[in-house]
Amino acid sequence: MSNAFTGQSIESSRRALAAELRSAQLDEAELDARMLIGAALGLDLTGLIAQASRLLTSSEALQLAQYAERRIAGEPVARILGVREFWGLPFRLSEATLVPRPDTETVVERALELFREQKIHRPRIADIGTGSGAILLALLHEIPDAFGVGTDLSLTALGTARGNAAALGLGNRSAFVACSYLAALSGPFDLIVSNPPYIPSAEIPKLSIEVREHDPHLALDGGNDGYDAYRVLTPQAAARLAPGGALIVEAGQGQARNIETLMAAAALVVDRPPKADLAGISRAVSARKMPP
């Protein structure tokens, strides 16, 4: 495919790449093309516009062709570039981390709602299965006096999260611990958040190639019914929450009510409906630990 871009201008290359991606039936062909050519040339949108008539060098054409081949094969743009924006912040990715998705921002939104109500001084936050650190670091970015700890089974993921914390200037207000769920944490925490694995095992082969082939299965597979993680996480969280503290988890489609049942069984009080994502799916499920 390198010949398709050799000797072409930036603008004609962008158009050619978008056409290739459209023919591969990729949904966001125009956006993907712009992001890939920007990365290949090291230019932001302003630079792409300003230099639209400049011809690509042979090395730029080759780099763009390699990116195009990977995208057409089903690799997400975020994986190709190694970075994804979440909550307006850049997060580096690794093979051990999920690509942060807009749906998960509902967890951050619900957490901020609760903090505004309670006005907790120097809150302590735990993010379970932190991956790239996206949820935790978004919250620390928004709550300047908060301290947070992220846990993950994967040392690679924890390294990625630590790197993101340092890059965002949040390294001195965060710590990252290798353990299963909350096993190594004692608490008390004012807030525990998590985007746990919740896809039923049998559904994973049916996921899109972007997810199925490129997201870590450890972060996807929720067991036979999709609730394995919630069954472990919920009672552990209840034991480590401060009085008045909240547990907020991301839910898959149709899972919110069963998760609320698990929360109630752990003596947590569900005091508001789940927060829906832009598609109307109940996504952020929350409950509180009531004071004695």
Side-chain angles (χ1 to χ4, degrees), residues 48-158:
L48 291 175
I49 294 170
Q51 301 184 40
S53 60
R54 175 174 76 75
L55 301 184
L56 270 64
T57 67
S58 58
S59 61
E60 288 171 342
L62 179 60
Q63 180 68 81
L64 186 58
Q66 290 171 345
Y67 284 169
E69 185 176 353
R70 291 168 66 181
R71 183 68 191 105
I72 289 168
E75 188 173 353
V77 170
R79 292 285 180 203
I80 296 170
L81 305 185
V83 66
R84 176 65 177 256
E85 185 178 285
F86 178 85
W87 201 257
L89 304 170
F91 286 89
R92 302 243 23 123
L93 308 176
S94 65
E95 69 276 7
T97 65
L98 289 173
V99 174
R101 293 175 172 83
D103 299 342
T104 305
E105 292 188 351
T106 57
V107 174
V108 178
E109 292 166 358
R110 171 54 55 87
L112 293 176
E113 288 172 5
L114 297 178
F115 274 121
R116 290 187 191 107
E117 290 175 13
Q118 290 197 295
K119 298 177 182 172
I120 302 166
H121 179 58
R122 299 181 69 181
R124 297 188 68 207
I125 304 170
D127 179 16
I128 310 308
T130 194
S132 64
I135 298 175
L136 178 64
L137 298 175
L139 288 169
L140 296 182
H141 177 78
E142 294 292 331
I143 309 168
D145 66 339
F147 179 85
V149 58
T151 73
D152 208 288
L153 281 173
S154 167
L155 295 177
T156 301
L158 291 169

Side-chain angles (χ1 to χ4, degrees), residues 207-244:
L207 297 173
S208 69
I209 190 171
E210 285 90 343
V211 175
R212 184 181 73 242
E213 298 296 332
H214 297 283
D215 274 339
H217 278 217
L218 185 66
L220 297 173
D221 194 338
N224 285 340
D225 62 359
Y227 295 99
D228 281 4
Y230 301 105
R231 291 189 184 97
V232 178
L233 169 64
T234 303
Q236 286 189 2
R240 291 163 175 81
L241 281 171

